[in-house]
Amino acid sequence: MAQSACYPHLALLIAASHPGGTAMLRDQAAMTAALLARGLPADRILALHGRLDRPLVTAFLQAAGRRVAGWSDGSVFVHVSGDGFFTGDTVEEARPGLLFGDSEDVTDDEHLFWDDLFAALALPAGVRLTLLPDL
């Protein structure tokens, strides 16, 4: 990721660990090291980890969205390390998301659908999104 001064980049790293878990945090640390080694400045890497829920992750994404709101081009990289879930009985009905806890109620704060994640991020036209989920 050779960075040009006129082409903005931002990396968002989300590690949704369960209590006592370390794998997701290790994934995030490895991704940070890889991005730094590829030349992305540390101030362009935003990380969120620990015991997460929908309001916290949504606020993180909205803040990142505000940071890039004035960009007309550029790239946002999102790496998520955690657990996933989906609803729906058919491919047409399927709705995937991130699971932050053990709840089975997909309307609670332990769940965040991918489409809600993208809506919270609200990238402007011309800004490319690269998503790497590790679920």
Side-chain angles (χ1 to χ4, degrees), residues 84-101:
F85 78 99
F86 72 94
T87 62
D89 294 325
T90 67
V91 171
E92 296 78 23
E93 296 172 347
R95 191 170 178 213
L98 301 174
L99 179 64
F100 302 120

Side-chain angles (χ1 to χ4, degrees), residues 3 14 17-18 21 32 38 44 48 50-51 54 57 63-65 70 76 99-100 104 107 110 121 134:
Q3 177 156 324
I14 301 170
S17 299
H18 291 284
T32 300
R38 300 268 308 154
R44 294 296 181 124
L48 180 66
R51 184 72 177 119
R54 180 181 22 221
V57 174
V76 174
L99 179 64
F100 302 120
E104 294 185 20
T107 64
E110 299 293 308
L121 189 52
D134 183 2

Side-chain angles (χ1 to χ4, degrees), residues 8-126:
H9 299 277
L10 183 66
L12 307 175
L13 310 180
I14 301 170
S17 299
H18 291 284
T22 60
M24 284 85 169
L25 189 55
R26 288 181 182 159
D27 289 346
Q28 189 177 69
M31 185 58 65
T32 300
L35 291 168
L36 291 169
R38 300 268 308 154
L40 189 64
D43 67 342
R44 294 296 181 124
I45 302 171
L46 306 179
L48 180 66
H49 57 85
R51 184 72 177 119
L52 305 181
D53 60 22
R54 180 181 22 221
L56 182 59
V57 174
T58 300
F60 175 74
L61 295 166
Q62 289 169 338
R66 287 189 298 274
R67 182 170 175 166
V68 303
W71 293 6
S72 59
D73 66 354
S75 178
V76 174
F77 172 74
V78 178
H79 175 260
V80 179
S81 181
D83 292 323
F85 78 99
F86 72 94
T87 62
D89 294 325
T90 67
V91 171
E92 296 78 23
E93 296 172 347
R95 191 170 178 213
L98 301 174
L99 179 64
F100 302 120
D102 294 329
S103 169
E104 294 185 20
D105 178 4
V106 298
T107 64
D108 67 15
D109 288 343
E110 299 293 308
H111 297 79
L112 177 64
F113 287 102
W114 282 108
D115 54 341
D116 294 331
L117 180 147
F118 299 133
L121 189 52
L123 295 179

